[in-house]
Amino acid sequence: MSAVRIANGKVVDPANAETGVVRDVVIRDGRVVDAAASEGVSETIDAKGGVVMAGAIDIHSHIAGGKSNLARLLMVEEQRAIREPEGPFCGCGGGLGTMTAHAIGCRYVEMGYTAVFEPAVVAANARHMHAEMKDIPFLDTGGYLVLGNDDFLLDLIASGAGQSAVNDYVAWMLAATKTFAIKIVNPGGINAFKFNARKLDLDEKNPHYELTPRKILTTLIDAVTQLGLSHPIHLHGCNLGVPGNEDTTLATIAAAEGRPLHLTHVQFHSYGTEGDRRFSSGAAKIAEAVNKNPNITVDVGQVMFGQTVTASADFMSQYRNRGIASPKRWIGMDMEMDAACGVVPFAYKDKSFVNALQWAIGLELFLLIEDPWRVFLTTDHPNGAPFTTYPHLIRLLMDKAFRDEQFAKLPKAVRKHSIVGELAREYTLEEMAIVTRAAPAKILGFKDRGHLGAGAVGDAVIYAEASDYEAMFATPAYVLKNGEVIVKDGEIVGLAYGQTHQVAPDYDKGIETKLDRWFDEAVGYKASTFKLSDSEIRDGQGAVAHATMRAS
């Protein structure tokens, strides 16, 4: 039996209404226990002058799977940028946007993150995704299964098979791929691209199945609700990156009709057409709609300046953007019957009107959405920026003087089109703990993560409190995973592996006969081959199956 006491720290734990309470945190055998239980404590960490939080959780970061490997192949020169080892656990390589799987775990835990979720698992690549997950140290992980452009589903909806059949298919796919939630990418649009469509708005019909994105979206919202999944539909909506897409986003919010819906990387969906350049911020309108609709949650997908690589299943969007690739190369891949993938490297520049306004739009969303429990800190890694920019983003949100200083460096034309300079809000430590810990745990349905109450997993972070929030959040004094110290004074000092989270809702086994025929006739291999076994998930160790409750 092992136990560690974190003593005298200022605990910031919004899930338990603690906003700076000086108290001890005791972790015994990997779980937080009543701090009065001091018997058998083998190590005491003096956190006086420090801020103690639960391990951070990222609900949306592209860390594994086919597109990650394609990005590494495309940006091969970055893979030669090997980082010198820092101790025996971290000889990691790769550029910031195309890090190796091992490096991803190292860079995240160095900032105090202990759980990260891959938001776009194409079913055909699920086995590869889990193989990469095995190689990511320190982090709890899980994947969101991409549906909404797969031919079996579209045929089910178009043929009038009914909601129950759709639910059974969705449940079977989650169980087969051992994933955690449902992601929709440009509903019907990826499929429409294969039939030569180059755009598809919310109420336009797919040229082959004659289904609108609205119909696909609402059908899958109903499926997720009726299957009892904790995380709502994770939606990458129509018209990503297109000026004027604010109207599509507002219509999408209305389409949910009060049912839970999560809008991902909403910064890329918050563009207007005002001004002489026909590109403007729609952040105020989107934030107002989010504030008025408590069923809507969002992550921002903040743009930060510098080189990165964009990787997305939204091939319709990536094909459109191929001409602005930097460097001038790109990859497009079609996965028949399933989805697609586009990889386009890109450098966001602070002197570019569009890029600088994207940066401002993200900050406007963060500062205008009132409820911190419904907005999540993301850069859509690596699409908006590598996740390693989080400490800088945190300082922008918590320090108005610093934010104004950075805003003043942007071109005058951008400053005329943004209200960032007028916004006085500064995130507090409590709000930062909400958007990076408590709220992600809540939307994922976790009862034992994102907080430091009794029974929680022993993932804890100690930050040396400082007025420079970037420095504070970039280098924690300590990071503990399951009660074991793995980072001390910014250096990785231990090796640990997390758990893979998955769901397996019940379904009518009658769907398997249809799927067996489909795989034989359309896909070209057996459904039994497609399904992953338990032994393929972290070698069968550390997998967590979350219960669901199917609604009648």
Side-chain angles (χ1 to χ4, degrees):
M1 180 167 60
S2 63
V4 61
R5 177 183 292 274
I6 301 171
N8 307 314
K10 183 191 295 184
V11 175
V12 180
D13 183 8
N16 291 301
E18 293 181 313
T19 59
V21 178
V22 177
R23 70 167 178 89
D24 292 358
V25 175
V26 175
I27 303 170
R28 184 184 304 279
D29 295 333
R31 294 272 172 176
V32 178
V33 298
D34 190 324
S38 58
E39 182 181 349
V41 170
S42 56
E43 180 181 4
T44 297
I45 298 172
D46 188 359
K48 186 175 182 180
V51 174
V52 184
M53 294 184 182
I57 303 170
D58 193 341
I59 69 165
H60 186 107
S61 181
H62 298 280
I63 57 173
K67 63 187 172 305
S68 297
N69 251 3
L70 288 174
R72 294 177 189 124
L73 290 169
L74 188 67
M75 302 294 284
V76 65
E77 65 271 29
E78 291 192 352
Q79 302 311 303
R80 301 190 182 104
I82 302 299
R83 174 173 170 164
E84 290 299 316
E86 296 181 4
F89 305 106
C90 191
C92 309
L96 295 178
T98 58
M99 283 177 272
T100 63
H102 189 88
I104 285 169
C106 293
R107 300 294 82 77
Y108 259 117
V109 79
E110 286 170 344
M111 299 188 302
Y113 277 79
T114 55
V116 180
F117 287 79
E118 163 57 55
V121 180
V122 175
N125 283 336
R127 182 168 276 107
H128 175 87
M129 184 275 294
H130 282 293
E132 281 204 63
M133 290 288 197
K134 290 182 184 181
D135 199 38
I136 299 176
F138 308 114
L139 304 178
D140 290 337
T141 57
Y144 309 156
L145 175 66
V146 173
L147 296 180
N149 287 279
D150 38 320
D151 284 84
F152 190 91
L153 172 68
L154 298 182
D155 185 66
L156 275 180
I157 300 172
S159 66
Q163 187 66 49
S164 180
V166 170
N167 295 356
D168 290 333
Y169 169 68
V170 171
W172 186 91
M173 287 289 283
L174 285 165
T177 58
K178 298 191 178 299
T179 43
F180 182 77
I182 297 299
K183 166 78 170 293
I184 309 177
V185 178
N186 190 1
I190 302 171
N191 182 275
F193 184 89
K194 301 175 186 183
F195 295 95
N196 294 318
R198 294 298 177 260
K199 59 181 274 306
L200 194 70
D201 209 343
L202 187 65
D203 291 305
E204 283 187 82
K205 290 184 177 181
N206 176 290
H208 181 72
Y209 289 99
E210 297 191 337
L211 295 172
T212 66
R214 181 190 295 269
K215 177 63 175 177
I216 298 166
L217 170 62
T218 55
T219 301
L220 286 173
I221 288 176
D222 286 342
V224 163
T225 302
Q226 293 172 22
L227 290 172
L229 302 188
S230 295
H231 190 48
I233 284 292
H234 198 94
L235 177 66
H236 163 142
C238 309
N239 294 327
L240 176 136
V242 177
N245 62 15
E246 61 181 7
D247 293 333
T248 306
T249 304
L250 294 172
T252 301
I253 292 172
E257 296 182 337
R259 293 166 294 180
L261 176 64
H262 181 82
L263 304 178
T264 191
H265 44 63
V266 73
Q267 179 277 139
F268 290 107
H269 301 270
S270 300
Y271 303 154
T273 57
E274 298 177 4
D276 54 0
R277 305 190 190 210
R278 307 294 294 165
F279 183 73
S280 61
S281 172
K285 293 179 183 178
I286 303 305
E288 181 183 15
V290 173
N291 291 336
K292 288 180 177 179
N293 290 273
N295 60 304
I296 300 297
T297 54
V298 306
D299 64 76
V300 172
Q302 177 69 38
V303 160
M304 304 289 271
F305 302 123
Q307 179 69 51
T308 191
V309 58
T310 66
S312 175
D314 191 349
F315 192 34
M316 181 179 280
S317 173
Q318 294 295 75
Y319 180 80
R320 184 177 62 246
N321 290 335
R322 71 195 188 285
I324 56 174
S326 178
K328 294 293 185 183
R329 61 183 86 140
W330 68 288
I331 293 176
M333 173 177 279
D334 172 33
M335 280 148 274
E336 293 183 9
M337 312 297 180
D338 204 346
C341 179
V343 181
V344 180
F346 192 75
Y348 292 100
K349 300 176 181 178
D350 58 359
K351 301 307 178 186
S352 160
F353 175 82
V354 171
N355 297 166
L357 191 53
Q358 289 176 305
W359 177 92
I361 290 168
L363 294 179
E364 289 173 356
L365 288 164
F366 271 119
L367 299 169
L368 291 171
I369 294 173
E370 297 166 356
D371 184 359
W373 288 90
R374 294 195 290 122
V375 61
F376 302 86
L377 189 136
T378 67
T379 58
D380 186 22
H381 167 85
N383 292 300
F387 64 79
T388 48
T389 60
Y390 284 178
H392 186 72
L393 173 56
I394 288 171
R395 186 177 181 189
L396 289 169
L397 296 175
M398 296 186 72
D399 186 341
K400 174 173 169 54
F402 177 73
R403 183 169 70 235
D404 288 347
E405 177 184 307
Q406 302 305 305
F407 185 59
K409 297 177 182 178
L410 301 184
K412 185 177 180 180
V414 174
R415 287 181 277 127
K416 286 175 59 178
H417 283 77
S418 173
I419 60 170
V420 164
E422 303 169 25
L423 299 175
R425 181 180 177 185
E426 293 178 321
Y427 272 59
T428 64
L429 277 175
E430 178 189 9
E431 288 177 320
M432 196 51 60
I434 291 171
V435 300
T436 59
R437 274 103 170 149
K442 180 180 179 181
I443 198 173
L444 294 169
F446 295 156
K447 304 297 184 183
D448 62 354
R449 285 163 173 78
H451 70 94
L452 292 172
V457 295
D459 295 354
V461 187
I462 305 170
Y463 298 102
E465 191 166 13
S467 57
D468 183 342
Y469 296 113
E470 183 171 355
M472 175 179 169
F473 282 93
T475 311
Y478 286 87
V479 181
L480 289 80
K481 179 69 179 172
N482 297 322
E484 299 292 329
V485 175
I486 52 176
V487 173
K488 183 176 180 181
D489 297 328
E491 181 178 334
I492 295 173
V493 296
L495 184 63
Y497 283 85
Q499 299 174 309
T500 299
H501 296 268
Q502 56 185 289
V503 294
D506 291 333
Y507 57 87
D508 184 336
K509 297 301 187 287
I511 194 70
E512 293 181 338
T513 300
K514 297 178 182 178
L515 283 163
D516 285 341
R517 186 182 309 116
W518 170 261
F519 274 87
D520 280 344
E521 296 176 356
V523 181
Y525 57 89
K526 298 292 185 182
S528 57
T529 302
F530 175 85
K531 294 172 67 174
L532 276 73
S533 65
D534 289 340
S535 64
E536 294 180 88
I537 312 302
R538 293 190 186 271
D539 295 322
Q541 303 297 316
V544 179
H546 291 261
T548 61
M549 184 172 294
R550 188 162 185 159
S552 60

